[in-house]
Amino acid sequence: MDVSLGFHLSGTVTEPAIQSEPETVCNVAISFDRCKITSVTCSCGNKDIFYCAHVVALSLYRIRKPDQVKLHLPISETLFQMNRDQLQKFVQYLITVHHTEVLPTAQKLADEILSQNSEINQVHGAPDPTAGASIDDENCWHLDEEQVQEQVKLFLSQGGYHGSGKQLNLLFAKVREMLKMRDSNGARMLTLITEQFMADPRLSLWRQQGTAMTDKYRQLWDELGALWMCIVLNPHCKLEQKAIWLKQLKKWNGVDVCPWEDGNHGSELPNLTNALPQGANASQDSSNRPHRTVFTRAIEACDLHWQDSHLQHIISSDLYTNYCYHDDTENSLFDSHGWPLWHEHVPTACARVDALRSHGYPREALRLAIAIVNTLRRQQQKQLEMFRTQKKELPHKSITSITNLEGWVGHPLDPVGTLFSSLMEACRTDDESFPVFSDFTENMGQCKSLEYQHLPAHKFLEEGESYLTLAVEVALIGLGQQRVMPDGLYTQEKVCRNEEQLISKLQEVELDDTLVKIFRKQAVFLLEAGPYSGLGEIIHRESVPMHTFAKYLFTSLLPHDAELAYKIALRAMRLLVLESAAPTGDLTRPHHIASVVPNRYPRWFTLSHIESQQCELASTMLTAAKGDVRRLETVLESIQKNIHSSSHIFKLAQDAFKIATLMDSLPDITLLKVSLELGLQVMRMTLSTLNWRRREMVRWLVTCATEVGVYALDSIMQSWFTLFTPTEATSIVATTVMSNSTIVRLHLDCHQQEKLASSARTLALQCAMKDPQNCALSALTLCEKDHIAFETAYQIVLDAATTGMSYTQLFTIARYMEHRGYPMRAYKLATLAMTHLNLSYNQDTHPAINDVLWACALSHSLGKNELAAIIPLVVKSVKCATVLSDILRRCTLTTPGVVGLHGRRNSGKLMSLDKAPLRQLLDATIGAYINTTHSRLTHISPRHYSEFIEFLSKARETFLMAHDGHIQFTQFIDNLKQIYKGKKKLMMLVRERFG
């Protein structure tokens, strides 16, 4: 049953049963006052910022079916109609029905009424909750403040996880919705949200640790600051209310952990809500100025007002013009058309537009937006005329002064985005569908009337223009503005992000002939406007680069005006911050950026992103220029001049190669040459630096040169020393060029093959001379088919063997020689390798052991003389007993040499251990066992005893190979027992095994 009692609505809402839940009945009570719900209660117990479904259901039922709701006068009126008996009956029945809930309260109230001196008897009458508030009382929509605080606290505690960031953004959107509906709870709700943000414990933690807050969290603070700006700029805000907000904002602003506007706790700009400082004041030390927090702009905006009569006329009327006005001063109120202008610091003026939109004044916001854009366009034209005059007066002077230390794109107040959105909304919205509220001037007082010509609002646009063209043009103006790169990682990332967001919105607009004219007009201005444009002829090295914007302009203009498109893109390719010598500029001008901003190249935190955007712009031009020789040459020159990163040039080279060799068409030879030229530049850039992709780059270049043709391959081999290391030239370049797959790919005849092979052999010998250690083997391999070249390569190896090559390299080449059928040359190299080797007693797992065994086996196979020559080298180089005994055993198993030198056959007898050279090897092996034994006993531990006994067993085998070996071994064991008698357990094991 639903009952409306005065200003109080109560009822029951039944929620039907579902599969897992039974039917539920909720008791709902709603109080209202002057068309606003002022309080709600519901027995469902749901805790949320917004009304539960049951409250909404009861409200809608009352609105849609008013006849079904029984209406009653306020309870005080009903009581007034009762006599004493009725009143007593009423009270007693009420207590009986709810005796457990109201009896204590009823008794307390009865006692107070019967007491003459009670407080209740000092007041005339009694309260009536159903009678509504007094007309003088504040009235506002119900807002559960506790729930707002709890929800925000919960979202913040989740640290951006579980969609909490999205939920907070929805809360901010709700605040904007409330402001638009002129709901006073908007400011109350934002105050509650801000208090929770300020109480976030992470703020002090981050400050102590010196770490930055996350990007998404930082953006929430930005939105918080922007909303406060909207609130204090409410055109109908009472001064008393603004004073309360100002006090609150200053309190938050003074808290130590209050986030700073630039997000970086870095240097700050001066107060830019007002006009920029002039002259010497502009260069004051920024470190002495107080830091600007996220609330600073809102605090400054509290000083702004809406009382200016010119401003009121602009926003209040579509008919405000003055054709008699002379447009001859910088701050004229009207332009040459007689249309109104609004001169104010641009972000501040746009903040007014945002405030008007936010507070439900879309028409007024649109009027002001049009005035601002017309002002910007007039200013743009004046700047162009001024620069042209300066160029005539100072033809040889490089003017790089800029007036914008604070850029509009990436600005905390997002002025360009605000103007663009306002105008685009007007494109989408029928004029009649604007929300109708009370007239804007209702509470402002009437302005002094001026004489104006009566023209509809659309007459403030040029012929053929619309809100759409105005929106696009102001976006192009903002994006093309020359402005200084701001301090700090966050602000620099914000510049990039906002630029990309604005371009993304522009891309949603389909270009027609009218918009193409706007693009052409702005493109010409950007090229010719000097220091006022980011695409001016000369810019300061600290200016924000234009690559992303220029890429958008290029693709938009290309189908309509290719020449202009390329001019824009090529001009934008520069990245002066990476140039070693930037233009000095005109240092005499008061606004010169060098007098305000120091050289901060190391603090360009977004440089890698900027370079990637520069690369994207170049790639876009390369793609578009396919088939146009002149354009490709121009783009190539621009890339070589402006791009300083080898990885990006390599990417462009690869892009050009892919575009040039698309499967559905014949290769574009000009674009292939561009690709090769870029590849060669990468080779030169990375030749003397470490680059983990270098090997990939070299392989790719050979592939590219192969596609270009045989002359390209020959060319890179002829000039290899400027492009490759000797190792790369032999192991990758020449080897790939000489492969069968390359010969087949190029369809080479015998003459061409020989010419290429000759270049490869020349390269190989040059590399071997320069770096024999790493290139000798490759050189030998490449020269195999040419006897003279092969002999030359071998001689290079011999010359380098004594000084510049290691035993590993020499053994490798020696094995290669044996494999190629040159055993004596292999033997020569093996003996040279042995002179560099030194194996100590404990290196019984050294990787060179196999090479030593191979060298000895090779010498043994060649004959007694060769074996006799190498054994002294082995004895000198190898001190490891087990290796020596292994060599000794192998030499005694077979006869040396099947065929010796000059085809002389050996006698076939086994070599004697009592004669040279094996006697020398046997003595060295026995000596090595004795020395190794003493070395091992010095630091032996019990866990190695059994291993040591096995080692002595192997030693005995070697001792016994000598004719007096048994006696030598016995004496050796006796000496051990005497010298190491302290190691009783070990000596006991020795006795058990060897007596």
Side-chain angles (χ1 to χ4, degrees), residues 668-719:
D668 184 315
I669 193 64
T670 309
L671 197 50
L672 269 178
K673 287 178 180 177
V674 168
S675 176
L676 180 63
E677 199 60 46
L678 291 173
L680 294 173
Q681 185 178 346
V682 172
M683 291 297 102
R684 289 188 285 267
M685 289 174 75
T686 58
L687 179 58
S688 56
T689 59
L690 292 173
N691 191 306
W692 63 274
R693 296 185 68 189
R694 174 76 187 178
R695 194 171 182 83
E696 175 198 352
M697 291 170 171
V698 174
R699 289 188 183 282
W700 177 87
L701 184 78
V702 177
T703 303
C704 181
T706 304
E707 285 296 318
V708 174
V710 66
Y711 70 92
L713 289 174
D714 195 46
S715 174
I716 65 173
M717 287 197 293
Q718 298 278 359
S719 56

Side-chain angles (χ1 to χ4, degrees), residues 203 206 211-215 217-219 221 257 259-260 263 265:
L203 290 177
W206 285 329
T211 53
M213 62 177 72
T214 62
D215 217 35
Y217 187 56
R218 175 69 245 189
Q219 289 173 44
W221 275 103
V257 294
W260 295 356
H265 298 89

